[in-house]
Amino acid sequence: MNAKELLLILREIKDVSFSSVDNSGNPKCRIIDIMLIEDERLYFLTARGKDFYRELMENNHVAVTALTKNFESIRLEGKANKVGDNKYYLDKIFECNPAMNEVYPGDSRNILDVFCIDKGIIEYFDLSKHPIYRQTLSFGGEKIKDKGYFINETCINCKKCFNLCPQSAIYELNGIMNIKNENCLHCGLCYENCPVKAVERW
Amino acid sequence: MNAKELLLILREIKDVSFSSVDNSGNPKCRIIDIMLIEDERLYFLTARGKDFYRELMENNHVAVTALTKNFESIRLEGKANKVGDNKYYLDKIFECNPAMNEVYPGDSRNILDVFCIDKGIIEYFDLSKHPIYRQTLSFGGEKIKDKGYFINETCINCKKCFNLCPQSAIYELNGIMNIKNENCLHCGLCYENCPVKAVERW
Ligand code: SF4
Ligand code: SF4
Ligand code: SF4
Ligand code: SF4
């Protein structure tokens, strides 16, 4: 799976959840349509009169989630910027998404501004598999930060974490204990229970 | 539709999007299961090792969104607090949601903390109707704040807004122009175009 494929799955799901932060620093979210994917760029729009628009003007970080029909979850984080050529993208979007004409008929579409996310992190997470499976990808040249847990060299190999892990995400290789991050829930059970605090957060 | 019915629809959808804010003030979201509804209280859980848990400990405001099969969107805002009796609720939740045993088998469930939202605002929004339809309800005694737009007494009855509104949400009653909030997109087209600035945000 690559980032572009995940972006296209978001477009296919279409109605996804967009989170932003309001001016009191509290979370807001609403269902927003993914209107267009071009290369690794994701486009959506909102009306200038909406709270969401004001929130984006103050803090353009957004977090997006969606669930596929098979209950795989997709999470995206990035920054949303207004496109330079609003009219061009509005017309293109209305052409690819004809139902928009029922919500914003005729010239009323001009109250809408198109935003683009051209860089970010996208995560795939399948909780229905056993062990669970996760994959983190970036697009538009964003750097991926390590998340979750790892076992450092102070580990005394007591195997307590190995026995506790709900997803069997801990394995031994050449006498050294490791966490398989792609199968890890990030639940923290190993971290809470290691007798020598050898489990660390990235 | 009352708030309890909307909470039960969230439980039926089950996998919904939960937004929070991280310690940099940026939005985060992920798919979370609605585990239980009791009266007007909504329960979910998360593991103590997850970022989501840390975020809730620092700012317990959450925003929830979900989409029904008929493309109605539901939005909830409230505060999430840890329950007093974690063990009681954990066991109850695992009983009502047996698939949880596959993700957190045996005693590993004890890494999970149960949270309750007992007070908040819940909004129903149907974009597939024409005109669109929205309804805002509260639960647990939360106060509803007015949102969107209204027309004040400086209106000169030019009907510009009436002609522009994409959802015909503006009507005249006894010579006075009004906005029917339940059909309003909050798009701001009336607000941007009123020649005498008679359209105000609540
Ligand atoms: S519990 Fe700690 S010391 Fe024991 S094997 Fe795991 S990481 Fe090593
Ligand atoms: S965080 Fe949880 S799932 Fe991940 S390795 Fe530790 S115990 Fe296993
Ligand atoms: S555009 Fe302004 S002045 Fe004209 S009818 Fe609407 S609210 Fe009144
Ligand atoms: S905000 Fe938009 S939908 Fe609502 S009354 Fe004004 S023009 Fe109509």
Side-chain angles (χ1 to χ4, degrees):
Chain A
M1 194 102 61
N2 61 40
K4 176 74 186 280
E5 286 171 300
L6 289 180
L7 290 171
L8 290 172
I9 293 174
L10 287 180
R11 164 67 178 157
E12 206 186 306
I13 299 173
K14 208 173 165 205
D15 302 284
V16 306
S17 174
F18 265 72
S19 307
S20 54
V21 175
D22 71 9
N23 56 15
S24 311
N26 291 325
K28 297 279 160 177
C29 67
R30 76 289 295 158
I31 304 292
I32 293 284
D33 280 10
I34 305 292
M35 291 296 180
L36 189 68
I37 304 289
E38 278 181 344
D39 300 322
E40 291 190 344
R41 297 187 302 276
L42 179 158
Y43 296 87
F44 65 97
L45 47 73
T46 191
R48 286 188 297 279
K50 289 192 186 258
D51 288 342
F52 184 31
Y53 184 87
R54 276 150 212 255
E55 287 151 22
L56 288 176
M57 291 298 104
E58 292 192 18
N59 177 350
N60 70 347
H61 284 81
V62 290
V64 177
T65 47
L67 196 69
T68 70
K69 278 177 213 143
N70 304 321
F71 297 96
E72 302 140 304
S73 73
I74 297 173
R75 290 169 69 175
L76 179 153
E77 286 180 18
K79 289 186 204 170
N81 293 302
K82 276 201 234 190
V83 298
D85 191 348
N86 198 55
K87 195 179 159 7
Y88 169 81
Y89 278 103
L90 259 187
D91 291 346
K92 186 162 185 171
I93 284 172
F94 271 63
E95 213 177 293
C96 309
N97 302 274
M100 283 301 295
N101 285 298
E102 276 154 54
V103 185
Y104 289 98
D107 286 341
S108 71
R109 71 173 66 170
N110 294 314
I111 193 68
L112 301 167
D113 275 0
V114 179
F115 289 79
C116 177
I117 305 173
D118 62 5
K119 193 174 160 178
I121 298 294
I122 190 158
E123 197 181 281
Y124 170 90
F125 189 64
D126 189 349
L127 204 63
S128 69
K129 287 246 171 31
H130 195 83
I132 65 98
Y133 178 75
R134 68 163 80 235
Q135 195 181 358
T136 306
L137 298 157
S138 75
F139 63 97
E142 188 64 271
K143 271 205 209 106
I144 298 181
K145 280 188 216 123
D146 284 315
K147 269 178 67 176
Y149 296 89
F150 68 97
I151 297 175
N152 70 27
E153 68 292 345
T154 66
C155 167
I156 56 169
N157 211 320
C158 73
K159 299 202 170 50
K160 193 169 179 189
C161 58
F162 176 87
N163 292 317
L164 284 174
C165 177
Q167 293 294 322
S168 312
I170 297 177
Y171 65 101
E172 189 173 0
L173 186 67
N174 300 330
I176 292 172
M177 305 302 288
N178 295 281
I179 294 175
K180 208 170 181 176
N181 202 20
E182 69 196 50
N183 300 136
C184 172
L185 289 162
H186 300 170
C187 74
L189 199 59
C190 52
Y191 174 83
E192 276 195 4
N193 287 283
C194 174
V196 297
K197 297 197 187 305
V199 182
E200 281 186 66
R201 283 174 73 93
W202 281 109
Chain B
M1 194 101 62
N2 61 40
K4 177 73 187 276
E5 286 171 298
L6 290 180
L7 290 171
L8 290 173
I9 293 175
L10 286 181
R11 164 67 180 157
E12 207 186 306
I13 298 174
K14 209 174 163 206
D15 301 284
V16 305
S17 173
F18 266 72
S19 307
S20 55
V21 175
D22 71 9
N23 56 15
S24 311
N26 291 325
K28 296 279 159 178
C29 67
R30 77 288 296 159
I31 304 292
I32 293 285
D33 280 11
I34 305 293
M35 291 295 179
L36 188 69
I37 304 288
E38 278 182 343
D39 300 322
E40 291 189 343
R41 297 187 302 278
L42 179 157
Y43 296 86
F44 65 97
L45 47 73
T46 191
R48 287 188 297 279
K50 287 190 187 259
D51 288 342
F52 184 30
Y53 184 88
R54 278 150 211 253
E55 287 152 22
L56 289 176
M57 291 299 102
E58 291 190 21
N59 178 350
N60 70 348
H61 285 81
V62 291
V64 177
T65 46
L67 195 69
T68 70
K69 278 176 215 145
N70 303 321
F71 297 95
E72 302 141 303
S73 73
I74 297 174
R75 291 170 67 175
L76 180 152
E77 287 181 17
K79 287 185 205 170
N81 292 303
K82 276 202 236 188
V83 298
D85 191 349
N86 198 55
K87 194 179 159 8
Y88 169 80
Y89 277 104
L90 260 188
D91 291 346
K92 187 161 185 172
I93 284 171
F94 272 64
E95 213 177 293
C96 309
N97 302 272
M100 283 302 293
N101 285 296
E102 278 154 55
V103 186
Y104 290 97
D107 286 342
S108 71
R109 70 172 66 168
N110 294 313
I111 192 68
L112 301 167
D113 275 359
V114 179
F115 289 80
C116 177
I117 305 173
D118 62 5
K119 193 173 158 178
I121 298 295
I122 190 159
E123 197 181 282
Y124 170 91
F125 189 63
D126 189 349
L127 203 65
S128 69
K129 289 245 170 35
H130 195 83
I132 65 98
Y133 178 75
R134 68 164 78 235
Q135 195 181 357
T136 306
L137 298 157
S138 75
F139 62 98
E142 187 64 90
K143 270 203 209 109
I144 298 180
K145 280 189 217 121
D146 285 315
K147 268 177 67 177
Y149 295 90
F150 68 96
I151 296 175
N152 70 27
E153 68 292 344
T154 65
C155 166
I156 55 168
N157 211 319
C158 72
K159 298 201 172 49
K160 193 169 180 192
C161 58
F162 176 88
N163 292 318
L164 284 174
C165 177
Q167 293 294 324
S168 311
I170 297 177
Y171 64 99
E172 188 171 3
L173 185 68
N174 300 329
I176 292 172
M177 304 304 286
N178 294 283
I179 293 175
K180 209 171 182 176
N181 201 20
E182 69 196 52
N183 300 135
C184 172
L185 288 163
H186 299 171
C187 74
L189 199 60
C190 51
Y191 174 84
E192 275 195 3
N193 286 285
C194 173
V196 297
K197 297 196 187 303
V199 181
E200 280 185 68
R201 281 174 75 92
W202 280 110

